[in-house]
Amino acid sequence: VSGNDMDQAMSIFYNTRAFNKISYSIAGKEGDYRLKIHFSPQRLHQAGVGFRFDSEEMAAILLGISLNKHKLFGSKLDLTGKLSAQPYVALNYGYTFHDLSQFNIGVKQQHIQVADINQGEVLRSMRYNIFSAMSYYQFTGWKSAEVKVGGQFDYFNELIDSCTPIPQHDWKVFFDWDIDNMDDSYFPSSGLQMNIGGAVHFAYKPFYEARFNLKSVIPFSDRVTLIPQLYNRWLFYNPEHMYHFYCANRVGGYMAGRYYDWQVPFVGMNNTHTTLDKFDIARLDVRINLFGQHYLTLMSNYMFEWNMSKWKITDHYHHYGFAAGYAINTIVGPIQLIGHWSNINRSFGVYFSLGYNF
Protein backbone atom coordinates (compact mmCIF):
# COMPACT_ATOMS: atom_id res chain seq x y z
CA VAL A 1 0.00 0.00 0.00
CA SER A 2 1.67 3.19 -1.20
CA GLY A 3 1.27 6.78 -0.04
CA ASN A 4 -0.72 7.51 -3.20
CA ASP A 5 -3.09 4.64 -2.35
CA MET A 6 -3.73 6.14 1.09
CA ASP A 7 -4.27 9.65 -0.32
CA GLN A 8 -6.72 8.22 -2.86
CA ALA A 9 -8.63 6.45 -0.06
CA MET A 10 -8.79 9.70 1.96
CA SER A 11 -10.26 11.53 -1.06
CA ILE A 12 -12.91 8.85 -1.55
CA PHE A 13 -13.92 8.98 2.11
CA TYR A 14 -14.06 12.79 2.13
CA ASN A 15 -16.17 12.81 -1.06
CA THR A 16 -18.89 10.89 0.79
CA ARG A 17 -19.35 13.99 3.02
CA ALA A 18 -20.19 11.57 5.84
CA PHE A 19 -17.12 12.38 7.93
CA ASN A 20 -15.96 15.55 9.65
CA LYS A 21 -12.33 14.48 9.93
CA ILE A 22 -10.34 11.52 8.62
CA SER A 23 -6.75 10.61 9.42
CA TYR A 24 -4.55 7.56 9.43
CA SER A 25 -1.59 6.22 11.37
CA ILE A 26 0.87 3.38 10.91
CA ALA A 27 1.74 1.10 13.82
CA GLY A 28 3.91 -1.97 14.19
CA LYS A 29 7.38 -2.71 12.92
CA GLU A 30 9.00 -3.52 9.61
CA GLY A 31 7.39 -6.57 8.06
CA ASP A 32 4.33 -6.30 10.29
CA TYR A 33 2.85 -2.84 9.78
CA ARG A 34 -0.75 -2.00 10.64
CA LEU A 35 -2.58 0.80 8.84
CA LYS A 36 -5.24 2.40 11.03
CA ILE A 37 -7.81 4.85 9.63
CA HIS A 38 -9.52 7.14 12.13
CA PHE A 39 -13.01 8.46 11.30
CA SER A 40 -14.86 11.32 12.97
CA PRO A 41 -18.45 11.17 11.63
CA GLN A 42 -20.58 14.18 10.80
CA ARG A 43 -23.90 14.68 12.52
CA LEU A 44 -26.53 12.76 10.55
CA HIS A 45 -29.13 15.53 10.31
CA GLN A 46 -28.64 19.20 9.60
CA ALA A 47 -30.67 22.40 9.89
CA GLY A 48 -29.48 25.91 9.31
CA VAL A 49 -30.12 29.53 8.46
CA GLY A 50 -27.91 31.63 6.20
CA PHE A 51 -27.89 35.37 5.53
CA ARG A 52 -26.15 37.46 2.92
CA PHE A 53 -26.39 40.99 1.53
CA ASP A 54 -25.12 42.41 -1.74
CA SER A 55 -25.72 45.48 -3.86
CA GLU A 56 -27.22 43.47 -6.73
CA GLU A 57 -29.84 41.32 -5.00
CA MET A 58 -29.98 43.13 -1.62
CA ALA A 59 -30.78 40.91 1.38
CA ALA A 60 -31.24 37.14 1.11
CA ILE A 61 -32.01 34.47 3.72
CA LEU A 62 -31.47 30.75 3.18
CA LEU A 63 -33.40 28.18 5.24
CA GLY A 64 -32.61 24.49 5.10
CA ILE A 65 -33.32 21.20 6.81
CA SER A 66 -31.80 17.86 5.85
CA LEU A 67 -32.59 14.37 7.11
CA ASN A 68 -29.75 11.83 6.93
CA LYS A 69 -27.66 14.38 5.01
CA HIS A 70 -24.38 12.86 6.24
CA LYS A 71 -25.49 9.24 6.33
CA LEU A 72 -23.02 7.06 4.44
CA PHE A 73 -25.65 4.90 2.66
CA GLY A 74 -29.41 4.94 2.19
CA SER A 75 -32.07 7.63 1.89
CA LYS A 76 -31.49 11.37 2.27
CA LEU A 77 -34.01 14.23 2.14
CA ASP A 78 -33.30 17.96 1.73
CA LEU A 79 -35.73 20.90 1.93
CA THR A 80 -34.31 24.33 1.11
CA GLY A 81 -35.93 27.75 0.78
CA LYS A 82 -34.54 31.15 -0.16
CA LEU A 83 -36.18 34.46 0.77
CA SER A 84 -35.00 37.29 -1.49
CA ALA A 85 -35.78 39.10 -4.71
CA GLN A 86 -35.08 35.72 -6.37
CA PRO A 87 -36.96 33.34 -4.02
CA TYR A 88 -37.19 29.58 -4.41
CA VAL A 89 -38.15 26.44 -2.56
CA ALA A 90 -36.58 23.06 -3.43
CA LEU A 91 -37.14 19.49 -2.26
CA ASN A 92 -34.67 16.72 -3.12
CA TYR A 93 -34.59 13.00 -2.32
CA GLY A 94 -31.43 10.97 -2.79
CA TYR A 95 -30.45 7.35 -2.24
CA THR A 96 -26.78 6.42 -1.87
CA PHE A 97 -25.76 2.89 -2.84
CA HIS A 98 -22.88 0.89 -1.35
CA ASP A 99 -20.67 1.68 -4.38
CA LEU A 100 -21.16 5.39 -3.40
CA SER A 101 -23.22 6.17 -6.49
CA GLN A 102 -26.45 8.06 -5.84
CA PHE A 103 -29.90 8.37 -7.39
CA ASN A 104 -31.60 11.77 -6.97
CA ILE A 105 -35.03 13.17 -7.71
CA GLY A 106 -36.17 16.69 -6.90
CA VAL A 107 -38.57 19.55 -7.58
CA LYS A 108 -38.02 23.31 -7.40
CA GLN A 109 -40.24 26.38 -7.67
CA GLN A 110 -38.46 29.69 -8.23
CA HIS A 111 -38.94 33.29 -9.34
CA ILE A 112 -36.36 35.24 -11.37
CA GLN A 113 -36.33 38.95 -12.14
CA VAL A 114 -33.33 40.50 -13.87
CA ALA A 115 -32.34 43.32 -16.19
CA ASP A 116 -30.64 42.43 -19.48
CA ILE A 117 -27.89 44.98 -20.26
CA ASN A 118 -26.02 45.72 -23.48
CA GLN A 119 -23.88 48.72 -24.44
CA GLY A 120 -24.85 50.57 -21.28
CA GLU A 121 -28.61 50.28 -21.80
CA VAL A 122 -31.27 48.08 -20.25
CA LEU A 123 -32.57 46.14 -23.25
CA ARG A 124 -35.34 44.36 -21.41
CA SER A 125 -36.66 43.55 -17.96
CA MET A 126 -37.27 39.82 -17.57
CA ARG A 127 -39.30 37.84 -15.04
CA TYR A 128 -39.81 34.10 -14.90
CA ASN A 129 -41.86 31.86 -12.62
CA ILE A 130 -40.34 28.42 -13.05
CA PHE A 131 -41.30 24.95 -11.89
CA SER A 132 -38.57 22.34 -12.38
CA ALA A 133 -38.51 18.57 -11.92
CA MET A 134 -35.20 16.72 -12.14
CA SER A 135 -33.92 13.18 -11.87
CA TYR A 136 -30.28 12.12 -12.22
CA TYR A 137 -27.77 9.43 -11.37
CA GLN A 138 -24.54 10.54 -9.72
CA PHE A 139 -21.27 8.65 -9.76
CA THR A 140 -18.77 9.52 -7.01
CA GLY A 141 -15.73 7.91 -5.48
CA TRP A 142 -13.16 9.10 -7.98
CA LYS A 143 -10.62 11.50 -6.56
CA SER A 144 -12.29 14.93 -6.21
CA ALA A 145 -14.63 14.15 -9.12
CA GLU A 146 -18.27 13.37 -9.75
CA VAL A 147 -20.36 12.62 -12.82
CA LYS A 148 -24.09 13.29 -13.24
CA VAL A 149 -26.38 11.93 -15.94
CA GLY A 150 -30.10 12.71 -15.93
CA GLY A 151 -33.07 14.66 -17.19
CA GLN A 152 -34.88 17.88 -16.27
CA PHE A 153 -38.27 19.41 -17.12
CA ASP A 154 -38.92 23.16 -16.79
CA TYR A 155 -42.35 24.79 -17.02
CA PHE A 156 -42.31 28.57 -16.81
CA ASN A 157 -44.20 31.80 -17.40
CA GLU A 158 -42.09 34.37 -19.20
CA LEU A 159 -42.74 38.09 -18.80
CA ILE A 160 -40.48 40.42 -20.83
CA ASP A 161 -40.97 44.14 -20.17
CA SER A 162 -44.75 44.65 -19.87
CA CYS A 163 -45.83 41.98 -22.34
CA THR A 164 -48.44 39.35 -21.49
CA PRO A 165 -46.92 36.33 -19.68
CA ILE A 166 -46.38 33.39 -22.00
CA PRO A 167 -46.42 29.80 -20.63
CA GLN A 168 -43.53 27.78 -22.03
CA HIS A 169 -41.70 24.55 -21.33
CA ASP A 170 -38.32 22.93 -21.90
CA TRP A 171 -37.01 19.48 -21.10
CA LYS A 172 -33.54 18.11 -21.54
CA VAL A 173 -31.21 15.21 -20.89
CA PHE A 174 -27.83 16.29 -19.55
CA PHE A 175 -24.33 15.19 -18.62
CA ASP A 176 -21.93 16.87 -16.15
CA TRP A 177 -18.41 15.96 -15.10
CA ASP A 178 -17.08 18.01 -12.18
CA ILE A 179 -13.65 18.08 -10.58
CA ASP A 180 -12.93 20.18 -7.50
CA ASN A 181 -9.83 19.86 -5.32
CA MET A 182 -9.62 23.48 -4.16
CA ASP A 183 -8.29 23.78 -0.61
CA ASP A 184 -10.79 26.59 0.15
CA SER A 185 -14.04 27.74 -1.48
CA TYR A 186 -13.40 31.51 -1.32
CA PHE A 187 -9.68 32.17 -0.81
CA PRO A 188 -7.94 29.04 -2.13
CA SER A 189 -4.16 28.80 -2.25
CA SER A 190 -4.06 25.79 -4.59
CA GLY A 191 -6.30 23.47 -6.54
CA LEU A 192 -8.48 23.15 -9.61
CA GLN A 193 -12.16 23.36 -10.49
CA MET A 194 -13.40 22.03 -13.81
CA ASN A 195 -16.80 21.35 -15.35
CA ILE A 196 -17.46 19.68 -18.68
CA GLY A 197 -21.12 19.38 -19.57
CA GLY A 198 -23.65 19.09 -22.31
CA ALA A 199 -27.37 18.69 -22.90
CA VAL A 200 -29.94 17.92 -25.56
CA HIS A 201 -33.07 20.09 -25.30
CA PHE A 202 -36.48 19.07 -26.61
CA ALA A 203 -38.57 22.23 -26.12
CA TYR A 204 -39.98 22.24 -29.67
CA LYS A 205 -37.27 21.07 -32.02
CA PRO A 206 -34.08 19.56 -30.55
CA PHE A 207 -31.08 21.79 -29.96
CA TYR A 208 -27.79 21.11 -28.21
CA GLU A 209 -25.50 22.80 -25.73
CA ALA A 210 -21.87 22.20 -24.78
CA ARG A 211 -20.01 24.01 -22.00
CA PHE A 212 -16.61 24.04 -20.38
CA ASN A 213 -15.53 25.89 -17.21
CA LEU A 214 -12.04 25.86 -15.71
CA LYS A 215 -10.57 27.65 -12.69
CA SER A 216 -7.03 27.06 -11.53
CA VAL A 217 -5.18 28.47 -8.52
CA ILE A 218 -1.43 28.93 -8.97
CA PRO A 219 0.72 30.17 -6.03
CA PHE A 220 3.13 32.79 -7.39
CA SER A 221 4.73 33.69 -4.07
CA ASP A 222 3.89 33.57 -0.36
CA ARG A 223 1.42 36.44 -0.77
CA VAL A 224 0.55 36.51 -4.48
CA THR A 225 -1.76 33.98 -6.17
CA LEU A 226 -2.66 33.77 -9.86
CA ILE A 227 -6.17 32.54 -10.72
CA PRO A 228 -6.66 31.93 -14.48
CA GLN A 229 -10.19 30.98 -15.59
CA LEU A 230 -11.98 29.88 -18.78
CA TYR A 231 -15.73 29.79 -19.45
CA ASN A 232 -17.77 28.95 -22.52
CA ARG A 233 -21.19 27.73 -23.63
CA TRP A 234 -22.04 26.86 -27.22
CA LEU A 235 -25.56 26.30 -28.57
CA PHE A 236 -26.18 24.32 -31.76
CA TYR A 237 -29.53 24.25 -33.56
CA ASN A 238 -31.25 24.21 -36.93
CA PRO A 239 -31.62 27.88 -38.02
CA GLU A 240 -35.18 27.10 -39.10
CA HIS A 241 -36.06 26.11 -35.52
CA MET A 242 -34.87 28.73 -33.05
CA TYR A 243 -34.41 27.78 -29.39
CA HIS A 244 -36.42 29.55 -26.69
CA PHE A 245 -35.04 32.84 -25.35
CA TYR A 246 -35.14 31.44 -21.80
CA CYS A 247 -32.34 29.01 -22.73
CA ALA A 248 -30.05 31.69 -24.21
CA ASN A 249 -26.50 32.32 -22.97
CA ARG A 250 -26.25 34.66 -19.99
CA VAL A 251 -23.10 36.19 -18.48
CA GLY A 252 -22.52 38.81 -15.81
CA GLY A 253 -21.95 39.55 -12.16
CA TYR A 254 -19.63 37.88 -9.66
CA MET A 255 -21.74 34.87 -8.63
CA ALA A 256 -22.14 31.96 -11.02
CA GLY A 257 -25.73 30.73 -11.35
CA ARG A 258 -27.31 33.67 -9.52
CA TYR A 259 -30.26 33.96 -11.93
CA TYR A 260 -29.85 31.00 -14.31
CA ASP A 261 -28.09 27.70 -13.64
CA TRP A 262 -25.90 28.21 -16.73
CA GLN A 263 -25.01 31.86 -16.02
CA VAL A 264 -21.26 32.47 -15.66
CA PRO A 265 -19.58 35.53 -14.07
CA PHE A 266 -18.17 38.41 -16.09
CA VAL A 267 -15.96 41.02 -14.43
CA GLY A 268 -17.03 44.63 -14.96
CA MET A 269 -20.83 44.50 -14.70
CA ASN A 270 -23.72 43.53 -12.46
CA ASN A 271 -26.95 41.94 -13.71
CA THR A 272 -26.72 39.92 -16.95
CA HIS A 273 -25.86 40.24 -20.62
CA THR A 274 -27.47 37.92 -23.18
CA THR A 275 -24.86 36.80 -25.69
CA LEU A 276 -25.02 35.29 -29.15
CA ASP A 277 -25.23 31.51 -29.62
CA LYS A 278 -21.65 30.95 -28.51
CA PHE A 279 -19.26 32.72 -26.16
CA ASP A 280 -15.74 32.18 -24.83
CA ILE A 281 -14.35 34.02 -21.80
CA ALA A 282 -10.74 34.17 -20.60
CA ARG A 283 -10.13 35.70 -17.18
CA LEU A 284 -7.14 36.31 -14.92
CA ASP A 285 -7.29 37.32 -11.25
CA VAL A 286 -4.22 38.36 -9.26
CA ARG A 287 -4.92 38.04 -5.53
CA ILE A 288 -2.58 39.66 -3.02
CA ASN A 289 -2.68 38.74 0.66
CA LEU A 290 -2.08 42.14 2.27
CA PHE A 291 -2.01 40.81 5.85
CA GLY A 292 -3.94 38.29 7.90
CA GLN A 293 -7.34 37.69 6.26
CA HIS A 294 -7.24 40.86 4.13
CA TYR A 295 -6.94 40.52 0.33
CA LEU A 296 -6.62 42.78 -2.70
CA THR A 297 -7.64 41.24 -6.04
CA LEU A 298 -7.04 42.67 -9.51
CA MET A 299 -9.38 41.15 -12.13
CA SER A 300 -9.61 41.28 -15.91
CA ASN A 301 -11.50 39.29 -18.53
CA TYR A 302 -12.14 39.15 -22.26
CA MET A 303 -15.18 37.67 -24.03
CA PHE A 304 -15.70 36.71 -27.66
CA GLU A 305 -19.36 36.05 -28.50
CA TRP A 306 -20.25 34.74 -31.93
CA ASN A 307 -22.70 33.03 -34.28
CA MET A 308 -21.81 30.41 -36.85
CA SER A 309 -23.55 29.30 -40.04
CA LYS A 310 -22.26 26.66 -42.45
CA TRP A 311 -18.96 26.51 -40.54
CA LYS A 312 -18.41 30.25 -40.91
CA ILE A 313 -18.58 32.95 -38.23
CA THR A 314 -21.40 35.29 -39.22
CA ASP A 315 -21.71 37.72 -36.27
CA HIS A 316 -19.30 38.44 -33.46
CA TYR A 317 -18.56 40.93 -30.69
CA HIS A 318 -15.59 41.58 -28.41
CA HIS A 319 -16.10 42.52 -24.75
CA TYR A 320 -13.69 43.21 -21.92
CA GLY A 321 -13.90 44.26 -18.29
CA PHE A 322 -11.63 45.22 -15.39
CA ALA A 323 -12.07 45.34 -11.64
CA ALA A 324 -10.23 45.82 -8.36
CA GLY A 325 -11.61 44.38 -5.14
CA TYR A 326 -10.83 44.43 -1.45
CA ALA A 327 -12.01 41.48 0.67
CA ILE A 328 -11.91 40.41 4.29
CA ASN A 329 -12.49 36.82 5.36
CA THR A 330 -14.65 36.88 8.51
CA ILE A 331 -16.57 34.41 10.66
CA VAL A 332 -19.83 35.40 8.89
CA GLY A 333 -18.30 34.95 5.46
CA PRO A 334 -16.34 37.12 3.04
CA ILE A 335 -16.94 40.87 2.96
CA GLN A 336 -15.90 42.40 -0.34
CA LEU A 337 -16.05 45.73 -2.15
CA ILE A 338 -15.34 45.76 -5.90
CA GLY A 339 -15.01 48.68 -8.31
CA HIS A 340 -15.34 47.78 -11.99
CA TRP A 341 -15.77 48.86 -15.61
CA SER A 342 -16.61 47.05 -18.84
CA ASN A 343 -17.47 47.97 -22.41
CA ILE A 344 -20.82 46.15 -22.01
CA ASN A 345 -22.28 48.68 -19.59
CA ARG A 346 -19.81 51.44 -20.54
CA SER A 347 -19.71 52.90 -17.05
CA PHE A 348 -17.96 52.50 -13.73
CA GLY A 349 -19.81 50.51 -11.11
CA VAL A 350 -19.52 49.15 -7.59
CA TYR A 351 -20.39 45.75 -6.13
CA PHE A 352 -20.58 45.09 -2.39
CA SER A 353 -21.34 41.78 -0.69
CA LEU A 354 -21.39 40.34 2.81
CA GLY A 355 -21.72 36.62 3.49
CA TYR A 356 -21.38 33.31 1.69
CA ASN A 357 -22.74 32.79 -1.81
CA PHE A 358 -26.11 31.10 -2.27
Side-chain angles (χ1 to χ4, degrees), residues 261-273:
D261 290 341
W262 53 92
Q263 175 192 345
V264 302
F266 186 80
V267 165
M269 63 173 294
N270 298 326
N271 295 299
T272 67
H273 167 70

Side-chain angles (χ1 to χ4, degrees), residues 245-256:
F245 183 70
Y246 166 76
C247 301
N249 292 325
R250 301 306 183 349
V251 305
Y254 295 89
M255 186 191 304

